[in-house]
């Protein structure tokens, strides 16, 4: 049984960080009206992608840490150069034909039944809702890989694996994170340009467009700047990015504001190859922390091998009351006291309701911007 598809209005977000946005404005379409069958498709695609990862040596990166580990593993970095590419509009550019080719490729590593293939394809049928009226693409096709769908990221990962398999014959060590690709090669500059053209040809044959750079020694990829000449890497922020953090005196749970500086310090340290790289990247973050009222000095802390923690139990009930400094009552203490009172040791439901199975964690109230946005959305929808 599957729930009825929710009727939610689509909206766009402007890509105002893109170059030449004033003359060529671009946007990203977000479609909250998504088929619940996508949840089933997600589980199937997760299994397929995991099987491919185990049986095929492809650099299908999940996060920045995986890219950094890949960069660290490169020996004699000075002998290589970067090739960096970005797939334009990756989600909407995935056609049904390309997805079928990716599934055919995956069937070499996993047993995909006809029913599972039909579920994956059916989950891509989508429509747009505007003022409770359904919209559809030009033509009769409803196939679309939408951003925000339940299985969108997993679909991109599958297609990415298929594309990486086609790049294996080139003289490059290449990896992909969603729509961003990075490769190294020790070929001559002229041969590297030929490899660049071959990469473009492969993506064009699959109906995808890319922007690509080659013969680079320093490259900005995701949120890291990689340097082959110095064998270093450090945090990267896009130009004109305004760093802002929750103020120390804001109406947030103390544990939240307490962990913000330490979290920033840990992130910068993990994205820095050494103390010099950390010190070069830290000043803007230190300034943002100071302006937010934190008395904390950022310092480089090399990553330590952490011991594996026991996995958290899944059968835990969470109570998440909203936090407010205007409330003097200790809600958490009162709540847990009620659990002890009504479910004593001799109670038949004690095994289900006790302090080990019921936890409390405060949630944050909506900020003023969210309240105004929700109010405007209700008014615009009603009109």
């Amino acid at each position: 049984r599957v729930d009825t598809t929710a009727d939610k209005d689509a909206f766009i977000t402007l890509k105002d960080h893109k170059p030449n946005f004033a003359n060529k404005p671009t946007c990203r379409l977000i479609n909250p009206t998504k088929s619940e069958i996508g949840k089933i498709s997600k589980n199937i695609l997760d299994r397929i992608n995991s099987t491919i990862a185990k049986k095929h040596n492809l650099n299908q990166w999940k996060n920045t840490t995986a890219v950094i580990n890949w960069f660290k593993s490169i020996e004699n970095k000075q002998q290589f150069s970067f090739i960096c590419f970005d797939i334009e509009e990756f989600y909407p550019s995935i056609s049904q034909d390309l997805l079928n080719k990716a599934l055919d490729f995956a069937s070499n590593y996993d047993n995909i039944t006809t029913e599972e293939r039909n579920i994956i394809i059916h989950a891509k049928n989508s429509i747009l809702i505007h003022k409770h009226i359904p919209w559809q693409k030009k033509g009769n096709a409803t196939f679309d890989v939408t951003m925000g769908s339940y299985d969108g990221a997993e679909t991109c990962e599958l297609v990415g694996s298929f594309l990486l398999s086609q790049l294996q014959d080139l003289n490059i060590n290449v990896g992909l994170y969603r729509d961003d690709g990075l490769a190294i090669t020790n070929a001559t500059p002229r041969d590297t340009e030929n490899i660049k053209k071959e990469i473009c040809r492969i993506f064009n044959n699959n109906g995808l467009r890319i922007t690509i750079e080659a013969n680079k020694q320093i490259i900005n990829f995701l949120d890291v700047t990689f340097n082959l000449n110095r064998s270093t890497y450090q945090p990267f922020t896009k130009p004109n990015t305004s760093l802002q953090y929750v103020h120390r005196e804001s109406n947030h749970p103390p544990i939240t504001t307490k962990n913000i500086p330490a979290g920033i310090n840990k992130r910068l340290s993990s994205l820095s190859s050494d103390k010099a790289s950390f010190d070069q990247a830290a000043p803007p973050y230190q300034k943002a922390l100071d302006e937010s009222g934190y008395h904390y000095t950022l310092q480089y802390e090399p990553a330590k091998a952490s011991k594996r923690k026991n996995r958290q139990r899944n059968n835990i009930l969470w109570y998440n009351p909203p936090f407010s400094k205007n409330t003097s009552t200790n809600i958490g203490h009162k709540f847990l006291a009620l659990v002890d009172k009504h479910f004593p040791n001799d109670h038949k439901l004690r095994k289900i309701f006790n302090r080990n199975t019921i936890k409390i964690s405060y949630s944050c109230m909506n900020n003023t911007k969210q309240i105004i946005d929700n109010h405007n959305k209700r008014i615009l929808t009603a009109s």
Side-chain angles (χ1 to χ4, degrees):
R1 299 180 62 182
V2 178
D3 292 334
T4 304
T5 302
D7 180 357
K8 296 181 180 179
D9 281 356
F11 60 95
I12 63 173
T13 57
L14 297 176
K15 296 183 179 180
D16 53 358
H17 62 282
K18 294 289 185 180
N20 198 30
F21 175 78
N23 296 312
K24 187 180 178 181
T26 56
C27 63
R28 179 184 293 109
L29 175 65
I30 308 296
N31 184 14
T33 303
K34 45 192 178 183
S35 172
E36 297 294 318
I37 296 179
K39 295 180 180 179
I40 306 172
S41 174
K42 179 183 184 303
N43 291 333
I44 299 172
L45 289 169
D46 274 334
R47 189 204 73 217
I48 296 173
N49 290 329
S50 298
T51 304
I52 295 175
K54 292 177 181 178
K55 297 183 178 180
H56 205 310
N57 187 22
L58 298 173
N59 290 323
Q60 186 71 267
W61 298 314
K62 300 284 187 180
N63 47 45
T64 304
T65 303
V67 185
I68 291 175
N69 291 335
W70 169 81
F71 180 78
K72 287 180 178 179
S73 67
I74 302 171
E75 298 180 356
N76 302 320
K77 295 180 177 61
Q78 294 79 6
Q79 300 177 7
F80 294 88
S81 63
F82 281 124
I83 300 175
C84 184
F85 57 90
D86 175 61
I87 306 174
E88 298 181 5
E89 300 178 348
F90 190 22
Y91 277 69
S93 297
I94 298 176
S95 63
Q96 186 169 348
D97 180 59
L98 177 56
L99 181 56
N100 281 324
K101 289 180 180 179
L103 289 170
D104 292 338
F105 159 77
S107 62
N108 296 322
Y109 305 94
D110 192 8
N111 182 22
I112 305 174
T113 65
T114 303
E115 183 182 18
E116 289 175 336
R117 183 186 284 257
N118 290 337
I119 289 174
I120 294 172
I121 299 298
H122 182 62
K124 307 301 179 291
N125 291 328
S126 65
I127 57 174
L128 299 179
I129 301 295
H130 178 60
K131 294 184 178 180
H132 303 290
I133 299 175
W135 289 50
Q136 185 179 322
K137 282 185 174 182
K138 291 181 179 179
N140 296 323
T142 57
F143 181 92
D144 191 17
V145 180
T146 59
M147 298 193 69
S149 61
Y150 292 113
D151 62 343
E154 289 74 21
T155 302
C156 288
E157 185 177 343
L158 173 62
V159 174
S161 296
F162 170 64
L163 295 171
L164 285 174
S165 69
Q166 295 185 307
L167 299 175
Q168 294 298 297
D169 295 334
L170 305 178
N171 184 27
I172 56 175
N173 182 353
V174 61
L176 198 65
Y177 174 80
R178 302 286 168 81
D179 59 346
D180 295 312
L182 184 63
I184 58 166
T185 178
N186 56 1
T188 64
R190 182 174 181 178
D191 289 340
T192 301
E193 286 296 325
N194 291 332
I195 293 173
K196 171 184 171 182
K197 294 178 182 179
E198 187 65 18
I199 293 174
C200 293
R201 185 190 66 81
I202 290 173
F203 279 89
N204 286 334
N205 289 343
N206 289 286
L208 301 172
R209 295 177 301 166
I210 63 171
T211 56
I212 187 169
E213 297 177 293
N215 288 311
K216 301 290 184 180
Q217 296 297 315
I218 303 173
I219 204 75
N220 299 320
F221 187 74
L222 301 183
D223 53 351
V224 184
T225 299
F226 294 101
N227 190 322
L228 287 173
N229 289 329
R230 298 182 179 180
S231 300
T232 60
Y233 54 90
Q234 67 183 59
F236 164 73
T237 54
K238 293 182 179 179
N240 303 322
T241 299
S242 178
L243 296 173
Q244 291 182 324
Y245 300 111
V246 174
H247 198 278
R248 189 172 65 89
E249 301 297 332
S250 66
N251 198 355
H252 281 69
I255 192 67
T256 300
T257 54
K258 178 183 177 181
N259 287 321
I260 285 177
I264 296 169
N265 195 89
K266 182 178 179 180
R267 173 182 172 273
L268 293 180
S269 296
S270 65
L271 299 183
S272 301
S273 57
D274 50 36
K275 186 176 183 303
S277 300
F278 178 91
D279 293 339
Q280 185 177 354
Y285 297 90
Q286 184 66 64
K287 180 182 177 183
L289 283 175
D290 295 340
E291 292 175 348
S292 298
Y294 295 97
H295 307 293
Y296 188 96
T297 302
L298 296 173
Q299 296 179 342
Y300 177 65
E301 297 177 356
K304 299 179 181 178
S306 58
K307 296 182 180 179
R308 184 175 179 179
K309 298 180 180 179
N310 294 330
R311 295 184 64 182
Q312 190 177 21
R313 294 171 59 187
N314 294 325
N315 56 342
I316 291 179
L317 299 175
W318 285 94
Y319 173 49
N320 302 111
F323 176 85
S324 177
K325 290 183 177 179
N326 299 325
T327 303
S328 59
T329 304
N330 190 336
I331 302 295
H333 176 75
K334 297 283 187 183
F335 172 74
L336 294 176
L338 288 172
V339 173
D340 294 337
K341 176 182 177 182
H342 294 287
F343 299 97
N345 292 330
D346 58 346
H347 197 282
K348 62 181 180 180
L349 297 179
R350 175 70 178 181
K351 290 184 179 180
I352 302 176
F353 301 104
N354 58 70
R355 291 197 177 217
N356 293 325
T357 59
I358 297 179
K359 304 290 185 180
I360 181 170
S361 176
Y362 288 104
S363 61
C364 297
M365 300 286 287
N366 290 342
N367 58 37
T368 305
K369 180 180 182 301
Q370 289 174 319
I371 295 173
I372 294 175
D373 288 345
N374 290 335
H375 173 71
N376 291 339
K377 185 177 180 180
R378 284 194 299 270
I379 293 177
L380 292 173
T381 303
S383 61

